[in-house]
Amino acid sequence: MADNNIGPKRLVVGAHYGLRDWLAQRVTAIVMVAYVAILLISFLTAQNFSYEGWAGLFAQQWFKLFSLVTFLALFYHAWVGVRDIWMDYVKSAGLRLTLQIATMLWLIACAGWTVQILWSV
């Protein structure tokens, strides 16, 4: 009897257990931690704790871009995690596909809303 769990012909089921997804989760988490650290430092060193002070921080182009990159990292981080949950625990292929599409649409809508919030007048 051949063993299908080793070598190039192994049987792979469930979530994508791979280096790419593992690395994506770690890199996106590092981006989010860096953003939180910068927000915390900005908060602790700020002289102006009013709305105008925070609006001034978010008015800077570099901070808007860093915020956008962080939120895109968050959405991709969520996608990898939720996709793996759907693949591991939802056995019906039709239901799994429906949930994955709904998740993608939701995350794309959140990304669009993020851009609208960051660059609104």
Side-chain angles (χ1 to χ4, degrees):
M1 181 172 169
D3 189 4
N4 288 333
N5 290 326
I6 59 173
K9 294 184 179 184
R10 73 178 190 265
L11 178 62
V12 178
V13 295
H16 293 115
Y17 299 108
L19 179 63
R20 184 179 58 100
D21 293 335
W22 179 87
L23 191 58
Q25 289 276 284
R26 275 46 183 192
V27 169
T28 55
I30 290 169
V31 170
M32 291 183 281
V33 166
Y35 184 77
V36 169
I38 288 176
L39 263 183
L40 188 59
I41 290 167
S42 298
F43 177 73
L44 294 175
T45 60
Q47 302 298 322
N48 187 1
F49 289 111
S50 67
Y51 170 79
E52 290 78 20
W54 282 105
L57 177 64
F58 280 89
Q60 300 175 52
Q61 195 66 24
W62 73 269
F63 198 78
K64 285 183 184 182
L65 288 172
F66 191 34
S67 297
L68 179 62
V69 168
T70 301
F71 277 101
L72 293 177
L74 171 69
F75 301 142
Y76 189 70
H77 189 93
W79 165 246
V80 171
V82 173
R83 182 205 62 205
D84 287 354
I85 291 170
W86 297 146
M87 292 179 74
D88 285 343
Y89 297 109
V90 178
K91 299 304 177 194
S92 167
L95 178 59
R96 185 171 55 239
L97 180 61
T98 301
L99 290 170
Q100 287 177 338
I101 290 170
T103 302
M104 280 190 286
L105 292 175
W106 174 254
L107 292 172
I108 290 168
C110 287
W113 194 21
T114 301
V115 170
Q116 180 184 9
I117 290 170
L118 287 172
W119 275 275
S120 64
V121 176

